[in-house]
Amino acid sequence: SSKWSNLRRYLSYEKVAGYAPGSQVTDHCAIDRDQAAIEAELAKKTPEAFENALRIYNEGGNSKSYAQVTLTTPLSTFIGAGTAILGRNAEGNEVAGKAYEDYQA
């Protein structure tokens, strides 16, 4: 056993209503903002507003994290939905995610 074996790294997550969760739940907590956005769209009582509300319901508005990826070179192979993706953001920090849909090379 090394002298470092008893060290642990503890990460903190954003507090929710004063509670410090043990995992990242902020995306799930944003559902209340989605609900408010859906209600606001439906209150407009137009076909376009209904489509907007439906899109928020199906795709998420505030509660679904996503990132747009800019490639420096074209894809060389097919990437299927759910494939793990690892890269770097504009600040050089490592980011990870999954492909939302299929992408052809």
Side-chain angles (χ1 to χ4, degrees):
S1 164
S2 81
K3 67 179 181 177
W4 306 109
S5 63
N6 65 341
L7 294 179
R8 299 276 190 266
R9 182 175 177 197
Y10 294 98
L11 302 176
S12 60
Y13 297 97
E14 184 177 339
K15 287 188 176 185
V16 178
Y19 169 74
S23 62
Q24 185 177 1
V25 296
T26 50
D27 287 348
H28 301 291
C29 293
I31 194 76
D32 59 337
R33 290 185 293 205
D34 287 353
Q35 179 67 33
I38 290 169
E39 290 176 11
E41 288 298 319
L42 292 175
K44 296 175 186 176
K45 298 181 181 180
T46 67
E48 296 84 10
F50 178 78
E51 290 298 320
N52 289 339
L54 187 59
R55 186 171 35 259
I56 294 166
Y57 177 81
N58 286 325
E59 299 175 16
N62 298 286
S63 62
K64 188 170 188 177
S65 297
Y66 70 93
Q68 182 174 349
V69 176
T70 303
L71 302 175
T72 55
T73 59
L75 289 177
S76 59
T77 60
F78 170 82
I79 296 177
T83 299
I85 297 174
L86 184 63
R88 298 207 175 267
N89 64 14
E91 291 80 34
N93 299 316
E94 190 173 88
V95 293
K98 295 181 182 178
Y100 181 69
E101 56 189 35
D102 292 343
Y103 297 95
Q104 302 298 324

